Amino acid sequence: MNSFGGDKMHGSIFVFLKRFVESTHNYNTWVYILEKEGMQERHTAPYQMNEVYPIEELFTIMSAAARKTGVPHHAFQERLGKFLVPDLLLVFKRFVDPS
């Protein structure tokens, strides 16, 4: 059994991660990471916003992307977080109390 106990992550995070990798590098980098990590099926059956996926896949992709781009893992996570803020606020603005 994995250390995450079968935990799942919302598909939107995977979609935004893909967008981040493609915007900071390119589409080929995303495809390379999926292939290198043995996740080719995510290229032909991409992540969907309305689904949930194993959290291990998220950490695998983030670690591989950090290695591929030469960025320390913690710095990659921080950059991804900054990238996510505008989209997350747009998607979930009805749940944010401005006060």
Side-chain angles (χ1 to χ4, degrees):
M1 178 163 228
N2 64 52
S3 61
F4 299 106
D7 289 342
K8 303 284 186 177
M9 178 61 68
H10 194 270
S12 61
I13 301 302
F14 290 89
V15 171
F16 294 143
L17 174 59
K18 177 180 185 279
R19 191 178 304 162
F20 174 68
V21 170
E22 290 177 349
S23 72
T24 56
H25 299 285
N26 57 44
Y27 175 74
N28 291 334
T29 302
W30 176 255
V31 172
Y32 171 84
I33 290 167
L34 294 181
E35 289 176 355
K36 179 102 168 96
E37 297 304 317
M39 301 170 72
Q40 297 88 336
E41 72 279 358
R42 294 300 182 202
H43 176 59
T44 56
Y47 294 105
Q48 300 296 313
M49 291 285 277
N50 58 343
E51 299 291 334
V52 293
Y53 301 95
I55 200 166
E56 308 88 42
E57 291 184 23
L58 179 69
F59 290 120
T60 296
I61 294 169
M62 287 194 311
S63 294
R67 283 191 310 273
K68 170 74 173 146
T69 59
V71 176
H73 188 72
H74 69 277
F76 181 87
Q77 286 181 317
E78 186 175 316
R79 291 176 187 173
L80 172 62
K82 288 178 181 177
F83 179 85
L84 289 176
V85 169
D87 283 328
L88 290 175
L89 286 175
L90 183 64
V91 172
F92 299 106
K93 68 181 174 184
R94 65 183 170 165
F95 299 109
V96 177
D97 180 358
S99 62

